[in-house]
Amino acid sequence: MMFKNAVIFTFTKEWFISQGDLESELWEELFKPVGSQEIGRTGWVPALPGDEYMVFDTNECLFLRLRSDKKVLKESAIKRKVEDITSGIEREQGRKVRKKEKEEIRETVILEHLPHALIDSTYTVGYIDLKKQWLIVEASSFKGAEEFASFLRRTLGSLPVRAPALENSVGFELTGALDPHAEFSRLTSKFDLGEECTMVGIDGEKANFKDMDLTSEEVTNHITDSAMSVSSLRLAMEDDVAFTLTEDFRVKKIKFLDQFQEDVLNFEPEDEDIDAGLSYARTTLFLMTGTFRVLFDALIESMGGIEEDFDPLEGL
């Protein structure tokens, strides 16, 4: 359950839902197995594997888990079968198969193969931080995070969230963190530089640096001499967490460090009779959400904060 990646959405207006109400809503969109003639299905499953509850509540955060099953059909096999059928028709009937008919043949072939297709299952975890008014999704791409948010919106009927409207460009702040000519960097005033970054040039050329001193001329010359900009940067927040921040404000490759691990070991559960597995989950997720609050607050501040004159689109 510990997040390796995180995409944040902010609520555009004050919003609240109780654990019980959210639980009831999720049961209405409970995951059901894919039917023999269906290509896939999506639905909610218990937030913690093996648990009976759809929602896991800790530190004023409501965790939920989405399952998506999709049948895997080999495109090359489908294409070959369609071509065989099309060739047979053209040979036997002496006519050319038109595009619309070929599409109908393809649909028929897919329906014939669906009952025997393998199923690929993916799980996406997210949580609503009621205190901070955030939705945070464990996803490596915005597409995956937006699909989660979209399905949750469909489940609840309304979910007024959007990507943070930041005052400054993330790419500008990332580049400023390594630019030797920059007078001040908000990022490096709050975070420690790692040893990894990527840059992109005006014409799309890329440069990758790993296990390097990012303040060395070998790296910074790409900014000063080649006018490249930083598209991702490895950072750390004290001894708690290391991560890579991307120019579209995704947090990737999250690694919880020694201080966090020590906090987990020293954490004393409120209920001594609680199941050991549940106790560990509650402890780690409690501490993770607390760490993320500090992390994302600092990241947002590093971008100059939320845009003051932003007019949120309510009811998204």
Side-chain angles (χ1 to χ4, degrees):
M1 287 288 287
M2 297 297 289
F3 284 20
K4 296 180 180 179
N5 305 286
V7 176
I8 183 173
F9 298 91
T10 57
F11 281 86
T12 60
K13 60 181 179 181
E14 190 171 347
W15 192 87
F16 176 82
I17 191 170
S18 69
Q19 179 183 0
D21 287 344
L22 181 57
E23 183 93 15
S24 298
E25 295 288 354
L26 297 189
W27 274 104
E28 294 298 318
E29 292 286 350
L30 179 69
F31 175 81
K32 297 177 182 177
V34 182
S36 63
Q37 294 300 316
E38 292 180 312
I39 191 69
R41 273 202 179 185
T42 299
W44 301 105
V45 294
L48 297 182
D51 197 13
E52 60 183 299
Y53 298 105
M54 304 297 286
V55 180
F56 181 76
D57 177 19
T58 184
N59 201 18
E60 297 182 67
C61 296
L62 305 177
F63 280 81
L64 46 160
R65 190 162 60 115
L66 187 66
R67 173 174 173 174
S68 295
D69 277 12
K70 186 175 182 180
K71 289 185 177 178
V72 180
L73 297 171
K74 194 171 182 180
E75 181 60 33
S76 60
I78 297 297
K79 183 178 179 180
R80 185 169 59 251
K81 183 66 173 178
V82 172
E83 289 175 349
D84 290 345
I85 295 174
T86 300
S87 297
I89 293 174
E90 292 178 341
R91 183 175 57 255
E92 294 171 8
Q93 299 182 17
R95 64 180 180 84
K96 183 174 179 62
V97 175
R98 297 186 179 279
K99 183 179 179 180
K100 183 177 181 181
E101 184 179 0
K102 197 170 185 177
E103 290 175 350
E104 292 173 350
I105 293 172
R106 175 181 167 79
E107 291 177 3
T108 301
V109 171
I110 290 175
L111 288 174
E112 289 176 353
H113 285 75
L114 278 177
H116 312 291
L118 296 175
I119 297 176
D120 181 34
S121 299
T122 59
Y123 296 86
T124 306
V125 178
Y127 69 89
I128 299 168
D129 189 327
L130 296 172
K131 180 178 181 180
K132 298 298 296 185
Q133 293 287 286
W134 294 340
L135 170 66
I136 296 181
V137 184
E138 207 283 338
S140 59
S141 68
F142 263 116
K143 182 176 183 293
E146 286 170 350
E147 287 174 352
F148 182 96
S150 178
F151 197 85
L152 181 57
R153 183 179 295 114
R154 168 183 145 181
T155 300
L156 301 178
S158 175
L159 187 69
V161 298
R162 58 154 294 148
L166 302 169
E167 187 68 37
N168 298 332
S169 160
V170 182
F172 174 81
E173 296 294 345
L174 288 173
T175 303
L178 300 186
D179 187 350
H181 296 156
E183 295 182 1
F184 175 74
S185 166
R186 293 186 179 89
L187 272 175
T188 54
S189 71
K190 297 179 180 296
F191 301 99
D192 299 322
L193 280 178
E195 299 180 330
E196 182 178 334
C197 78
T198 59
M199 296 187 190
V200 61
I202 298 174
D203 297 322
E205 64 273 26
K206 295 182 179 180
N208 298 305
F209 303 93
K210 192 172 184 179
D211 300 325
M212 294 186 66
D213 177 1
L214 299 184
T215 63
S216 67
E217 289 188 357
E218 184 178 354
V219 176
T220 61
N221 280 349
H222 286 74
I223 297 174
T224 57
D225 298 346
S226 304
M228 298 186 80
S229 59
V230 179
S231 56
S232 72
L233 180 63
R234 191 73 178 166
L235 298 164
M237 187 174 71
E238 298 179 338
D239 291 328
D240 284 320
V241 61
F243 60 95
T244 297
L245 179 64
T246 67
E247 61 185 342
D248 54 3
F249 208 59
R250 286 177 294 132
V251 174
K252 301 175 61 177
K253 299 179 182 179
I254 297 169
K255 181 180 180 181
F256 294 94
L257 305 178
D258 292 345
Q259 184 59 56
F260 182 90
Q261 302 300 338
E262 184 177 334
D263 290 342
V264 171
L265 292 175
N266 294 332
F267 189 85
E268 296 183 4
E270 296 180 0
D271 186 351
E272 295 182 357
D273 297 325
I274 198 169
D275 174 80
L278 184 60
S279 176
Y280 178 78
R282 189 177 297 279
T283 297
T284 54
L285 296 182
F286 180 92
L287 293 173
M288 184 186 79
T289 54
T291 299
F292 277 4
R293 282 173 180 163
V294 178
L295 172 63
F296 279 107
D297 269 342
L299 284 174
I300 290 171
E301 289 176 13
S302 298
M303 302 304 142
I306 298 295
E307 188 177 346
E308 291 185 5
D309 59 353
F310 171 66
D311 184 17
L313 299 174
E314 298 186 359
L316 288 177

